Amino acid sequence: MIHGSSVRVESASWQNLLAGSITDPRVLLARLKLDPGLLAGALAAGREFALRVPEPYLLRMQPGNPNDPLLRQVLPLGEELEDQPGYVTDPLGEQHSNAQPGIIHKYHGRLLLVVTAGCAINCRYCFRRHFPYAENNLSTAEWEQALDYIRQDSSINEVIYSGGDPLAANDRRIAWLTRQIADIPHIKRLRVHTRLPVVIPQRVTDGLIEALSATRLPVTMVLHCNHANEVDAQMLAATQKLKSANITLLNQAVLLRGVNNRLEDQMALSEVLGDNGVLPYYLHLLDHVRGASHFHCSDAEAKHLVGQLLTRLPGYLVPRLVREIAGEAGKVPIHVDLITS
Ligand code: SF4
């Protein structure tokens, strides 16, 4: 792990940590004492989808290790620029489900709100790495239209804050939005999909807790953590705070070659999360987004891995293996047999 910056991180606000994220590959390689030979590829791939890594996340990486599982999630690589058959810019067809700016309405009963365009970290495998966020950055009038869309469709009973990362919005915006949504009688629950409590745990402020928990709506937060090395004391302090406010905590991960495709990686992740009150929810097969093919694991490998987990962990610590297919009515579960060997 990197030492030396932790005092600054511990005393900084989440906004400063967000603003101070590393976006220059030269800085990342120097901080981690990595081979400068990685620079040309990082600069080229970073032009298509920028590098972005916040300091608290960087501090959990091992210097000198180009295969660090956290580094692999954020370091742009030259191979991202090689076209691979079947890897496209919008693998889930979301641009067709983008009912109007700010809204993605794919499934019955629930709807995604694109609360912010930005993320605290740029994950190289992200299926939204080519999403037209600029068209989904809402003005106040557009927010009213998005809320009207929800008000007029009584089949929607759950709103999901998404992004970008919805917690990149400030507490005032989240409080306002949550009050507006709680005022719609047919909305029964609120869900927040976020990676921020993992990558900048300082984001979980008292103001955020108040903004999320001040209404009648039960709140579920689905974190996104792919590897046990992402879990540190500060992240656990953040999850503890959320739990104390009766926010249900789940985790979704993406199965990524070179990051978490070994049995010991998945076991360690499920155990550390479960021991701290965060239940594994989904393990996603990689969406075939352009630039991410080097993370691909075959279906057979994925099924073998989860089949092994089923015989080694209690069922509630085994995530459901799923694939997202454009146009389907929900996430598609992948059948897994028990594997004892
Ligand atoms: S935090 Fe989520 S939305 Fe943002 S880049 Fe990572 S995977 Fe994509």
Side-chain angles (χ1 to χ4, degrees), residues 49 119 121-123 125-126 164 195 224:
F49 181 49
C119 282
I121 185 166
N122 281 352
C123 312
Y125 53 85
C126 180
R195 192 146 158 71
H224 175 178

Side-chain angles (χ1 to χ4, degrees), residues 11-311:
S11 58
S13 68
W14 71 268
Q15 291 93 338
N16 283 343
L17 291 167
L18 186 64
S21 293
I22 292 171
T23 53
D24 183 340
R26 291 177 202 86
V27 176
L28 180 68
L29 296 182
R31 289 283 308 276
L32 290 169
K33 302 182 173 43
L34 290 169
D35 178 3
L38 291 164
L39 184 61
L43 287 171
R47 276 192 281 276
E48 181 146 317
F49 181 49
L51 165 75
R52 170 172 282 276
V53 54
E55 187 74 23
Y57 194 78
L58 178 82
L59 291 175
R60 298 171 220 165
M61 297 178 191
Q62 186 189 34
N65 180 6
N67 297 317
D68 181 277
L70 278 58
L71 174 72
R72 283 187 59 88
Q73 295 178 57
V74 299
L75 178 67
L77 296 176
E79 60 201 275
E80 292 177 23
L81 300 171
E82 293 163 17
D83 264 335
Q84 296 291 344
Y87 285 78
V88 297
T89 53
D90 182 19
L92 305 184
E94 283 197 330
Q95 285 161 43
H96 302 294
S97 322
N98 202 190
Q100 63 181 60
I103 285 183
I104 298 175
H105 195 179
K106 285 197 284 198
Y107 301 146
H108 179 78
R110 53 224 192 264
L111 158 150
L112 291 178
L113 269 183
V114 181
V115 176
T116 51
C119 282
I121 185 166
N122 281 352
C123 312
R124 307 314 297 173
Y125 53 85
C126 180
F127 68 92
R128 292 201 186 124
R129 54 182 280 169
H130 307 281
F131 189 76
Y133 283 118
E135 296 160 25
N136 283 269
N137 216 346
L138 304 196
S139 64
T140 305
E142 285 171 323
W143 269 118
E144 278 305 333
Q145 283 167 18
L147 288 164
D148 275 343
Y149 181 98
I150 303 171
R151 289 181 190 114
Q152 284 160 19
D153 186 345
S154 60
S155 74
I156 300 166
N157 52 35
E158 180 175 23
V159 170
I160 303 170
Y161 290 172
S162 183
D165 194 310
L167 297 191
N170 64 34
D171 294 343
R172 231 181 43 198
R173 165 66 71 186
I174 293 170
W176 174 80
L177 192 55
T178 305
R179 281 195 307 272
Q180 299 298 310
I181 289 166
D183 281 347
I184 304 174
H186 52 265
I187 301 301
K188 299 201 176 93
R189 57 194 92 90
L190 178 67
R191 203 186 326 167
V192 182
H193 283 183
T194 176
R195 192 146 158 71
L196 253 157
V198 177
V199 302
I200 304 182
Q202 292 80 351
R203 174 64 189 96
V204 181
T205 57
D206 293 345
L208 176 68
I209 299 278
E210 171 67 20
L212 288 174
S213 54
T215 75
R216 66 180 175 85
L217 296 173
V219 180
T220 298
M221 188 173 282
V222 184
L223 302 173
H224 175 178
C225 182
N226 292 316
H227 194 279
N229 290 5
E230 291 173 48
V231 180
D232 70 356
Q234 283 168 335
M235 179 194 146
L236 291 179
T239 53
Q240 194 52 49
K241 241 172 147 171
L242 292 161
K243 266 176 36 187
S244 303
N246 287 328
I247 294 174
T248 301
L249 294 178
L250 304 174
N251 184 60
Q252 56 182 342
V254 182
L255 182 59
L256 301 166
R257 173 165 307 288
V259 173
N260 60 9
N261 60 323
R262 297 174 314 166
L263 179 61
E264 55 266 41
D265 297 324
Q266 288 294 329
M267 296 218 13
L269 178 62
S270 280
E271 286 183 330
V272 72
L273 291 175
D275 290 348
N276 290 284
V278 184
L279 291 181
Y281 174 37
Y282 283 141
L283 179 61
H284 293 264
L285 290 169
L286 180 76
D287 299 311
H288 285 194
V289 66
R290 198 177 76 202
S293 65
H294 55 292
F295 289 117
H296 173 73
C297 296
S298 70
D299 284 16
E301 188 180 355
K303 289 192 215 181
H304 189 85
L305 185 62
V306 179
Q308 287 179 305
L309 285 179
L310 283 169
T311 59

